[in-house]
Amino acid sequence: MSQPIAAPGRRSSVSASDPINHIPIPSNPRGIPVGSYGAQSPPTATGLSRSPDASTHIRAASGSVGSVFSGMARQLTAFLPKTYPLEEEPEKRQGSTKVLLLENINLDAAEFLKQQGFEVEHVTKAWSEEELIAKLPNYHAVGIRSKTKITQKVIDANPQLLVIGCFCIGTNQVDLEHAAKRGIAVFNSPYANSRSVAELVISEIIALSRQIVDRSQEMKAGIWNKVSKNCWEIRGKTIGIVGYGHIGSQLSVLAESFGMQVIYYDVIPIMPLGTARQVASLEELLGKADFVTLHVPEIPDTINMIGEEQFSQMKSGSFFINNARGKVVDLSALATALESKHLAGAAVDVYPKEPGSNGPGFNETLGDFIPRLRNVSNLILTPHIGGSTEEAQRAIGSEVSNALYRYLTYGTSLGSVNFPEVDLRSITTNDERHIRVCHVHRNEPGVLKQINNILSDHNIEKQFTDSKGDIAYLMADISGVGQEEVEGIYSAIKSTRQNILTRLLCKWSGINLPLPLYLYVL
């Protein structure tokens, strides 16, 4: 009969003549950090130490008996074998941060966020308001492009949402003010696709001047139509740029390199590049330009800024291009100007309403002007592809995904379009007993005093606060914080009257801390 195999490090039997004189204790096989043991010293290989550790992690001010026993329990747990079954304490369970990326956002961005430890879902389509309300509550962050609309209704249905990333230039698809009131930071990439849009405009100017689209369609229909009438070089022509920001100014340089004369209109004085010249009014620009191109945001002042009156002010036989925002142009008026031959051609990349996904759907349901536009000559219609290049999407994906990562991980709000911009240096791996307070609150007197009173038992290593309208954001790093104190600090700050959202960011060697609604561990 075979003998039972003894466990490693144990004797197979015990006798009265050879008694056990000590019980060896393994060296913390569960890997729990020494800093979490509490007031007691860790056990040695020959037993439990009876001497208190001078570097106690339980503050004398708290003096809680519960905290002491909690530290002792954590200490004893550390030296149980890994195979010993333990029921996980409910308050120590922590889910991963979940990020949703819609509208086929660049896969490099998704991969970057996954590498940072986030749980990422990548979806190729936009979601409707109903889908966002039903499905978005599973996520802490969402990335969108221009089709997905984050409305007040969507925001109110998702109290867990921390941050929105707009992987594009514009942010008009998000209710920025309401997002700020709910403590949700919004980031975008205002410059990354500037070159792609500027190059598209140059290509459209040349295509319109040479009627390339019409000739191509005729050839596909089997028609040979070699003509030169009303086909022009762009050298020596005047381009009028409405909005001389990053796209407009890059376009200015490109157009000038083609030998074009550049004039531009902007609501503020801006120094020109090259030999470009700023004009005093939109009306003056419309009357002088052979090509008019828009590069303005969608704000109340720009909605329908180009309509029947403005088209009538343009030179007969001139060209119109809109790669900015769909609502800044009255497309019915544009159709009329093209049908009457007042304009020789146009290019449109953006529309007041756009289909939610690729495929059929660009029809009269988006506006009664769509069938009219589809039937006029020398008109280039593109499906909002101004920034749709590999280079632009990689740059946008990198910029916005990094902004999401920094905000979720470190609380950094630099670059936010609706939020105070606040930053502190990162918590390092040496800051084992530091926590970072990220406190979004209403911009009212007395908040800083309240927060500092709550943190008064600790050393505030660094602190910065700023406000934007009715919203203020405070970041503070405090040291000498025991794990058992975190819950109390969080609850005290969250209970202040002006609180909108509070997060505590900590780094304690991977230990999961209690997870209230917005308590996160780095």
Side-chain angles (χ1 to χ4, degrees):
M1 182 175 179
S2 62
Q3 298 296 321
I5 299 174
R10 295 185 180 179
R11 294 180 299 176
S12 59
S13 61
V14 177
S15 67
S17 61
D18 188 16
I20 296 176
N21 53 25
H22 74 280
I23 300 176
I25 297 178
S27 177
N28 188 11
R30 302 190 74 84
I32 295 180
V34 175
S36 67
Y37 293 153
Q40 303 294 323
S41 296
T44 64
T46 57
L48 295 175
S49 168
R50 293 184 177 88
S51 301
D53 185 1
S55 60
T56 175
H57 283 196
I58 297 180
R59 302 184 65 82
S62 63
S64 167
V65 175
S67 297
V68 174
F69 281 109
S70 173
M72 292 176 64
R74 195 176 290 115
Q75 170 183 331
L76 294 174
T77 299
F79 298 96
L80 291 173
K82 287 187 177 182
T83 56
Y84 188 88
L86 290 176
E87 181 179 355
E88 185 182 19
E89 300 174 46
E91 70 273 15
K92 290 191 179 180
R93 296 180 185 140
Q94 177 175 318
S96 61
T97 302
K98 297 182 179 180
V99 180
L100 172 67
L101 300 179
L102 297 172
E103 302 187 58
N104 202 28
I105 285 169
N106 184 263
L107 288 172
D108 290 346
E111 185 59 32
F112 169 78
L113 292 170
K114 287 179 182 178
Q115 290 174 358
Q116 308 312 314
F118 300 125
E119 185 177 329
V120 180
E121 181 174 354
H122 187 270
V123 179
T124 59
K125 296 182 179 181
W127 280 3
S128 66
E129 185 178 69
E130 292 73 20
E131 289 176 306
L132 290 168
I133 291 172
K135 301 177 184 179
L136 194 55
N138 295 322
Y139 303 92
H140 304 100
V142 61
I144 62 174
R145 294 178 73 184
S146 57
K147 294 177 182 176
T148 303
K149 310 301 180 185
I150 307 293
T151 62
Q152 177 176 336
K153 190 175 180 181
V154 171
I155 292 169
D156 289 340
N158 290 276
Q160 86 298 334
L161 193 62
L162 294 173
V163 61
I164 299 169
C166 296
F167 286 74
C168 52
I169 291 179
T171 56
N172 57 289
Q173 67 274 40
V174 179
D175 189 328
L176 298 178
E177 183 177 352
H178 195 68
K181 289 180 179 178
R182 293 289 181 164
I184 302 172
V186 179
F187 297 89
N188 71 332
S189 180
Y191 315 126
N193 68 359
S194 301
R195 179 71 180 198
S196 296
V197 177
E199 288 187 3
L200 178 63
V201 174
I202 291 294
S203 71
E204 290 169 337
I205 289 174
I206 295 174
L208 291 172
S209 296
R210 301 295 298 273
Q211 302 179 14
I212 290 175
V213 173
D214 287 358
R215 298 295 88 78
S216 176
Q217 290 175 340
E218 291 164 354
M219 291 290 285
K220 289 180 179 180
I223 300 172
W224 183 276
N225 186 22
K226 183 179 178 180
V227 296
S228 59
K229 185 179 181 180
N230 294 325
C231 294
W232 314 94
E233 293 181 358
I234 67 171
R235 179 180 53 176
K237 306 302 185 297
T238 299
I239 180 174
I241 302 172
V242 182
Y244 203 68
H246 286 81
I247 296 175
S249 57
Q250 284 207 42
L251 174 59
S252 173
V253 174
L254 292 177
E256 196 167 295
S257 70
F258 276 86
M260 302 187 76
Q261 299 176 19
V262 180
I263 59 175
Y264 64 93
Y265 169 73
D266 204 293
V267 293
I268 60 175
I270 299 178
M271 181 177 292
L273 300 178
T275 61
R277 179 171 58 87
Q278 185 166 8
V279 297
S281 67
L282 176 61
E283 183 178 358
E284 180 182 354
L285 180 142
L286 296 174
K288 291 182 176 180
D290 299 301
F291 297 86
V292 174
T293 176
L294 304 185
H295 302 284
V296 297
E298 183 184 305
I299 57 176
D301 289 342
T302 62
I303 292 177
N304 286 328
M305 68 177 294
I306 304 295
E308 182 179 351
E309 178 183 355
Q310 286 71 35
F311 287 124
S312 67
Q313 294 169 354
M314 292 179 61
K315 294 167 61 174
S316 178
S318 60
F319 301 86
F320 177 79
I321 298 170
N322 182 25
N323 292 327
R325 286 290 177 262
K327 292 184 179 179
V328 303
V329 177
D330 181 347
L331 290 181
S332 294
L334 174 61
T336 300
L338 290 168
E339 291 165 344
S340 67
K341 304 299 182 181
H342 177 65
L343 295 184
V348 180
D349 186 49
V350 288
Y351 310 88
K353 294 181 182 179
E354 298 179 0
S357 61
N358 290 342
F362 186 67
N363 51 43
E364 63 277 0
T365 61
L366 303 177
D368 57 9
F369 46 80
I370 297 296
R372 297 174 62 194
L373 293 176
R374 289 169 60 179
N375 287 323
V376 296
S377 60
N378 206 24
L379 173 62
I380 301 172
L381 297 175
T382 50
H384 204 154
I385 59 169
S388 295
T389 62
E390 293 286 351
E391 295 88 348
Q393 291 308 305
R394 280 197 297 268
I396 290 171
S398 175
E399 182 176 356
V400 180
S401 62
N402 269 280
L404 297 181
Y405 163 69
R406 291 194 302 269
Y407 183 73
L408 290 169
T409 308
Y410 302 115
T412 300
S413 62
L414 292 181
S416 175
V417 297
N418 70 327
F419 227 59
E421 296 188 75
V422 177
D423 187 27
L424 294 177
R425 69 170 176 81
S426 301
I427 299 175
T428 69
T429 54
N430 296 323
D431 299 332
E432 287 290 338
R433 298 181 64 227
H434 283 51
I435 68 171
R436 172 164 291 177
V437 177
C438 300
H439 178 50
V440 185
H441 56 276
R442 294 193 295 274
N443 186 20
E444 298 178 5
V447 174
L448 187 59
K449 179 179 179 181
Q450 293 182 70
I451 301 304
N452 286 340
N453 285 339
I454 293 170
L455 305 179
S456 60
D457 287 337
H458 304 273
N459 184 38
I460 300 178
E461 299 284 345
K462 47 190 178 293
Q463 183 182 69
F464 182 37
T465 183
D466 197 7
S467 62
K468 187 172 185 177
D470 297 330
I471 306 301
Y473 185 31
L474 177 144
M475 291 176 66
D477 284 358
I478 58 177
S479 59
V481 183
Q483 292 183 18
E484 68 285 342
E485 298 174 286
V486 173
E487 175 74 21
I489 293 173
Y490 172 80
S491 298
I493 296 176
K494 185 175 180 291
S495 299
T496 56
R497 182 178 59 84
Q498 298 90 346
N499 177 76
I500 294 176
L501 182 147
T502 297
R503 291 191 297 153
L504 301 187
L505 305 177
C506 321
K507 190 172 183 64
W508 268 313
S509 301
I511 294 297
N512 288 340
L513 297 175
L515 184 65
L517 188 58
Y518 292 113
L519 179 58
Y520 281 78
V521 179
L522 301 187

